[in-house]
Amino acid sequence: MRAVTFRSVRDVVVDQVADPVLATPFDAIVQVELAAICGSDLHPYLGREVGLDAGTVLGHEFLGVVVATGSGVAKFRAGDRVVAPFSTSCGACWFCAHGLTARCTAGQLFGWVQQGRGLHGGQAERVRVPLADTTLVAVPRGVPAEEALLAGDVLSTGFFCAQLGEVRPGAVVVVVGAGPVGICAAIAAGHAGAKSVFSLDLLPERLALARRYGALAWRADDPELRSALLDATQGRGADVVLECVGSAAATRIAFELARPGATIAAAGVHCEPQFAFSPGEAYDKNLTYRAGRCPARAMMESTLPLVVQQRYQLGALFSHRLPLDEARRGYELFERRLDGCTKVLLEVCGG
Ligand SMILES: [Zn+2]
Ligand SMILES: [Zn+2]
């Protein structure tokens, strides 16, 4: 089959690789219709995360049709349309039982193979899904496939971030970053009843998207931003800051704009070794800081219904739709933010 494989930094190719096979009775094989390129695919692509084996099939955002199941799979059969969260989960361990499916003791991330161990990804014609019964989610008929795909990661991550931030009705919320996760976090803040949502970025196409989804779009370096936020909060600052970038600079902006007693919720993948504020600064602001990988499988119970109900037209998050064979160009466009690229959808098998 054809698959997007990692060769080395900034070098991904569409290659011919072996078809995945059922490796345990609890596996399913999914024929992929649509796959997406995610901001976190750029971490190994740019060498910010290292260790990925050459030849790893990339991608953890995909939707498709089940074509084979092991004898232990009870909930799905060939022909079912499904979407996967970005990692597998067993549904039975302590973490799964407590809704923290991202920390499942048996969980694996799609698209990460290191020293021969791990799981190939979904930017391919077919993908093996372990723990299929408790990982996959059925996609109801009539749901736009590209929007259902988003429930597997960015939509759920945005809603999880707002949940971590405990956004309450009437809150004034700042979202740092207006990439796909930041946009979904802004949508989630509005969904939770926020009075106003300030969406911060530096790229005009992202700010336009934020505006389209009802946020107050601001350049993060606009000298007027701070006074506008203070005007909206009787001089206090943001009740909640949703940090959707994952950098020291973004954390520092979040800290500066948070009011005393605020919560900063971080959904960005952080790689830096220390906080961008000191324990003393956190103390002086009575700050709550919450972070972590989204338990996407658990979140999909509430986010996929939003897609089914068509509450938010999420298709606009995709700026580019390319055939699988053009994935290499997709990575280049996305990484260099060329041509107004906000997110790339790869059309695989009849997608
Ligand atoms: Zn993703
Ligand atoms: Zn588990």
Side-chain angles (χ1 to χ4, degrees):
M1 66 165 184
R2 289 172 306 137
V4 180
T5 59
F6 175 82
R7 283 206 299 212
S8 62
V9 171
R10 282 200 172 84
D11 187 9
V12 303
V13 287
V14 178
D15 238 344
Q16 201 67 32
V17 304
D19 273 359
V21 294
L22 298 169
T24 85
F26 307 104
D27 291 358
I29 305 294
V30 172
Q31 176 155 311
V32 178
E33 284 175 41
L34 297 174
I37 303 177
C38 178
S40 49
D41 292 327
L42 294 181
H43 291 301
Y45 179 79
L46 294 174
R48 282 193 231 125
E49 283 181 321
V50 295
L52 197 66
D53 287 358
T56 299
V57 178
L58 293 170
H60 57 261
E61 299 184 0
F62 61 91
L63 174 145
V65 175
V66 174
V67 289
T69 54
S71 58
V73 175
K75 275 176 62 187
F76 299 99
R77 59 183 64 173
D80 289 346
R81 195 185 225 190
V82 291
V83 59
F86 54 76
S87 64
T88 64
S89 52
C90 74
C93 72
W94 190 94
F95 296 100
C96 282
H98 289 79
L100 203 53
T101 49
R103 298 296 164 197
C104 174
T105 54
Q108 291 178 290
L109 204 57
F110 286 102
W112 194 273
V113 178
Q114 188 163 7
Q115 296 183 315
R117 294 162 59 97
L119 196 55
H120 286 294
Q123 290 165 6
E125 289 180 294
R126 279 173 287 285
V127 56
R128 179 176 78 89
V129 180
L131 303 168
D133 272 344
T134 45
T135 296
L136 293 172
V137 180
V139 177
R141 278 182 197 288
V143 178
E146 61 187 40
E147 298 192 34
L149 176 148
L150 294 168
D153 187 354
V154 298
L155 181 64
S156 290
T157 300
F159 272 71
F160 177 62
C161 189
Q163 183 178 305
L164 279 184
E166 297 185 332
V167 175
R168 296 186 207 290
V172 174
V173 177
V174 168
V175 182
V176 184
V181 170
I183 296 292
C184 290
I187 291 171
H191 191 80
K195 185 171 71 179
S196 44
V197 179
F198 289 69
S199 194
L200 277 45
D201 209 291
L202 292 170
L203 297 173
E205 59 272 19
R206 291 175 167 220
L207 293 172
L209 261 187
R211 227 172 272 124
R212 178 186 178 127
Y213 287 104
L216 305 166
W218 281 85
R219 271 192 65 96
D221 57 1
D222 190 322
E224 308 278 306
L225 165 63
R226 191 177 176 79
S227 56
L229 177 66
L230 293 177
D231 282 349
T233 56
Q234 285 102 46
R236 291 188 296 270
D239 297 308
V240 179
V241 184
L242 306 177
E243 187 273 294
C244 299
V245 176
S247 72
T251 306
R252 191 65 212 181
I253 291 171
F255 180 83
E256 300 288 348
L257 298 178
R259 68 159 164 79
T263 296
I264 297 175
V269 177
H270 282 269
C271 304
E272 68 272 27
Q274 55 208 6
F275 278 102
F277 51 83
S278 71
E281 286 178 308
Y283 180 89
D284 287 343
K285 224 173 211 189
N286 286 53
L287 185 73
T288 300
Y289 182 89
R290 304 181 76 187
R293 182 190 282 172
C294 168
R297 177 61 187 82
M299 288 301 299
M300 288 166 84
E301 301 288 339
S302 51
T303 54
L304 190 58
L306 297 175
V307 175
V308 173
Q309 296 154 20
Q310 284 288 284
R311 285 290 297 274
Y312 305 101
Q313 269 64 58
L314 300 168
L317 293 180
F318 293 106
S319 56
H320 290 72
R321 291 164 175 76
L322 301 174
L324 181 69
D325 285 337
E326 291 180 38
R328 185 182 170 90
R329 188 164 75 89
Y331 271 83
E332 285 166 2
L333 288 170
F334 187 47
E335 184 246 344
R336 295 163 63 193
R337 313 283 187 241
L338 299 176
D339 191 26
C341 188
T342 53
K343 192 165 178 72
V344 177
L345 187 68
L346 299 173
E347 296 167 334
V348 188
C349 304

